[in-house]
Amino acid sequence: MKYNFYAGPAILPREVIEESARAILNFNNMGLSLIEISHRSKEFIAVMDEAVELTKDLLGAGSEYEVLFLGGGASLQFAMAPMNLLDDNQSAAYTDTGTWASKAIKDSKLYGKVDVIASSKDKNYSYIPKGYEVDPKYRYLHITTNNTIFGTQYKKLPESGGVPLVADMSSDIFSREFDIDRFDLIYAGAQKNMGPAGATLVIVRKSALGKVSRQLPAMMNYSNHIEAGSMYNTPPVFAVYTSMLTLRWIKQKGGVGAMQKLNEAKAGLLYDEIDRNPMFYTPTASDDRSDMNVCFLMNDKELEGAFLAKCKEAGCVGLEGHRSVGGFRASLYNAMSEEGIRVLTDVMRDFERSHG
Ligand SMILES: *Cc1c(COP(=O)(O)O)cnc(C)c1O
């Protein structure tokens, strides 16, 4: 038994892994594998339709939104979002809250005027900037709701005075409730909290499209993908199917609100131990601590290797921190059980007893 704390690709519900493994061998009793049937077969179209409907249902997205499953990862959306939403003579506001946000900013500058209106770079992205004004001239405000590498998360959506939000939600989509009406666009790579790598979820407000004057390559145009029901080209069928199974699982567990309660309780257990245990600390500002990715360090860096070895012995894997932060990162996505976190906090307490 392993407790999988990897940041991404990441833990999925065991039932989902088992069912998708069965579908690789024999999908829907067709005598064929899921990955050897046409994406235009009625069996696969049913999968895509269910994935779209579950997304809308779980997030409360009405008919003004379209849901797409595309290739290219969240990273392609760094360019695709401004290409489709921001004209050359318009400006957009971005917040710089980490590595992924910085990459989104870099690409957006190719397609319009971009102002970084708030940043937490001054303190190695250990907090979420607050107290800034958003000028109504901006076409949108782009945020990264959860900063996977630095372990910070917007606990409240920023005030934007009516300026629509665009968000990279790769590492916290379906982990908690939020007001979808504030958004013109949401995107998320599947491989953090939803499925295997290869699919990217895009939720876009229909009325936000078709307003830029530039020519768009066919594959970069959301409208083409909408018209084709995410089948303008061959979609990543296995990633879409497995994501759909995860969405079914979330719904069966009570939906996003139920996930949120569990996630808050799970993260609370780990942060409480980090705060209590004199051997560990977290660099993350207390108001902005992510429920998905918990970054923590040791006061005595020399002991980090020994601690990781103890974690591995207990079955806890994937805890190495990102190289830009160091220390440890425990990713506690929806599929991580409370038991996994109790095993980890037990190792932390044992380590305090033997080395403290
Ligand atoms: C992992 C991650 C990305 C990059 O996703 P890819 O699918 O690899 O392009 C972007 N943003 C956030 C917040 C992430 O966690």
Side-chain angles (χ1 to χ4, degrees):
M1 178 71 191
K2 296 279 190 240
Y3 301 101
N4 177 2
F5 291 96
Y6 277 112
I11 186 170
L12 291 171
R14 194 66 212 166
E15 304 93 292
V16 167
I17 296 284
E18 282 167 5
E19 193 164 348
S20 63
R22 282 195 294 275
I24 289 277
L25 296 172
N26 180 6
F27 176 54
N28 267 6
N29 282 322
M30 292 172 78
L32 295 166
S33 169
L34 169 76
I35 57 171
E36 60 178 2
I37 60 168
S38 170
H39 58 292
R40 301 195 189 281
S41 62
K42 70 175 190 325
E43 288 83 359
F44 188 76
I45 289 174
V47 169
M48 184 65 89
D49 288 348
E50 188 174 348
V52 168
E53 281 318 306
L54 282 165
T55 300
K56 287 187 161 180
D57 179 21
L58 289 168
L59 299 180
S63 58
E64 63 275 30
Y65 289 98
E66 293 283 353
V67 173
L68 300 169
F69 287 87
L70 306 179
S75 300
L76 184 62
Q77 299 307 312
F78 297 160
M80 228 170 137
M83 270 176 121
N84 282 267
L85 299 184
L86 186 64
D87 228 339
D88 293 323
N89 58 2
Q90 291 179 311
S91 32
Y94 276 66
T95 59
D96 181 13
T97 54
T99 311
W100 301 116
S102 303
K103 288 187 170 177
I105 290 164
K106 189 161 178 242
D107 275 0
S108 69
K109 288 184 171 163
L110 300 171
Y111 301 103
K113 295 192 205 62
V114 168
D115 292 332
V116 177
I117 60 166
S119 168
S120 49
K121 195 173 181 183
D122 58 336
K123 292 185 180 160
N124 200 31
Y125 298 117
S126 58
Y127 68 103
I128 297 290
K130 296 175 198 77
Y132 47 87
E133 301 259 312
V134 183
D135 192 305
K137 75 176 180 192
Y138 290 118
R139 170 63 192 84
Y140 61 79
L141 168 64
H142 181 284
I143 60 172
T144 311
T145 50
N146 184 73
N147 296 282
T148 324
I149 292 176
F150 295 94
T152 61
Q153 185 177 33
Y154 283 84
K155 294 296 159 178
K156 280 206 316 237
L157 295 175
E159 299 291 334
S160 60
V163 173
L165 299 176
V166 169
D168 177 356
M169 290 198 188
S170 293
S171 50
D172 67 352
I173 189 126
F174 300 117
S175 74
R176 58 172 176 168
E177 292 183 315
F178 62 89
D179 180 7
I180 193 158
D181 295 331
R182 300 266 326 263
F183 293 86
D184 269 8
L185 177 74
I186 292 166
Y187 57 91
Q191 72 275 16
K192 307 289 163 52
N193 202 25
M194 184 167 70
T200 308
L201 174 64
V202 172
I203 304 161
V204 60
R205 186 188 292 277
K206 275 187 262 190
S207 61
L209 296 177
K211 298 197 169 144
V212 293
S213 50
R214 71 176 61 87
Q215 297 286 311
L216 296 171
M219 279 292 287
M220 301 295 277
N221 190 336
Y222 292 129
S223 299
N224 284 340
H225 292 288
I226 290 169
E227 208 172 300
S230 293
M231 299 212 194
Y232 179 79
N233 72 325
T234 317
V237 290
F238 180 71
V240 172
Y241 176 70
T242 307
S243 298
M244 184 278 283
L245 293 180
T246 304
L247 300 181
R248 267 190 199 162
W249 177 87
I250 294 171
K251 184 164 182 181
Q252 184 225 324
K253 296 276 172 199
V256 171
M259 291 293 129
Q260 177 169 356
K261 281 207 189 74
L262 292 170
N263 289 329
E264 285 170 357
K266 281 153 48 186
L269 282 175
L270 183 50
Y271 284 116
D272 283 352
E273 179 58 21
I274 293 167
D275 289 341
R276 186 208 63 78
N277 192 319
M279 305 197 75
F280 299 92
Y281 70 99
T282 173
T284 313
S286 52
D287 290 344
D288 308 322
R289 292 172 168 188
S290 169
D291 290 339
M292 294 283 98
N293 310 97
V294 178
C295 292
F296 58 108
L297 297 148
M298 269 189 141
N299 288 312
D300 182 355
K301 269 183 82 65
E302 304 281 294
L303 291 173
E304 285 184 359
F307 175 68
L308 270 181
K310 286 289 175 200
C311 290
K312 287 225 168 74
E313 261 174 48
C316 298
V317 298
L319 284 163
E320 294 81 1
H322 191 271
R323 60 191 181 281
S324 51
V325 183
F328 316 101
R329 171 175 51 172
S331 296
L332 315 179
Y333 300 119
N334 287 345
M336 170 56 67
S337 63
E338 188 178 306
E339 181 194 324
I341 295 154
R342 291 198 185 277
V343 170
L344 175 59
T345 52
D346 282 349
V347 176
M348 292 166 75
R349 267 189 290 276
D350 287 347
F351 204 79
E352 178 194 9
R353 254 176 250 125
S354 53
H355 292 80

